[in-house]
Amino acid sequence: MTAAEALALLERQGATLAVAESLTGGLVAAEVTAVPGASRTFRGSVTAYATDVKRDVLGVDGALLAARGAVDPQVAAEMAEGVRRLLGATWGLATTGVAGPDPQDGKDVGTVHVAVAGPSGTSVGSPRLTGDRAAIRAATVTAVLELLMEAVRGGRKADRVNARAQDTERHGGI
């Protein structure tokens, strides 16, 4: 899945896109804006690296962040919903996770949650990624763009899915 394919599909539908990023630190936005004509579809992005930015700018529930930390499927969902609302986009994407080199808040390196929020709801994916920091961040960009395409094409039930069950489904078991 490429950003160009995603943007072309969104443009055909007259839809727009906004992105909220944590572990990818702007890589999703960079991938999207590298596509000529991205401005016809892309509204903008928020790099919410700090937890308080997730809460204060994107509207992620502070109690959720306090209880579970920033690396959580529900946090990803609320980030996607928040950036969609904040930037007035049809679709919102979000990334959060641990790219390494060390675990964070009790979460292992490679723990990643991506989300897409759209007109019919929000979907979350939790791929288990391996590799070094750069590889995990690059794979996260691919994962969130794939999740977007599934949602836009209607191939994924647009609701809050259980992240562990989805990961098991994608990878054939725990």
Side-chain angles (χ1 to χ4, degrees), residues 3-163:
E5 292 170 310
L7 290 175
L9 180 58
L10 292 173
E11 187 174 357
R12 282 193 302 274
Q13 294 183 359
T16 55
L17 177 65
V19 177
E21 301 184 65
S22 187
L23 88 144
T24 49
L27 292 176
V28 177
E31 186 79 12
V32 168
T33 58
V35 177
S39 62
R40 292 189 296 269
T41 304
F42 188 59
R43 303 255 325 136
S45 66
V46 174
T47 300
Y49 218 60
T51 300
D52 62 318
V53 175
K54 291 173 182 70
R55 181 192 64 230
D56 298 343
V57 176
L58 296 174
V60 175
D61 181 28
L64 171 67
L65 289 164
R68 298 190 200 164
V71 180
D72 182 83
Q74 183 66 35
V75 170
E78 291 190 18
M79 288 173 64
E81 292 161 0
V83 79
R84 178 179 183 242
R85 184 175 48 252
L86 181 67
L87 299 182
T90 312
W91 296 93
L93 297 180
T95 65
T96 189
V98 183
D102 301 313
Q104 175 187 329
D105 298 330
K107 307 288 173 45
D108 292 332
V109 173
T111 302
V112 170
H113 305 289
V114 295
V116 57
S120 61
T122 302
S123 294
V124 177
S126 297
R128 292 291 302 164
L129 303 176
T130 59
D132 64 11
R133 182 174 175 81
I136 290 169
R137 293 173 78 214
T140 301
V141 172
T142 300
V144 78
L145 290 173
E146 287 176 353
L147 188 65
L148 171 65
M149 290 301 293
E150 289 175 16
V152 171
R153 289 180 176 147
R156 170 176 291 268
K157 185 178 176 187
D159 62 7
R160 293 180 197 277
V161 286
N162 179 289

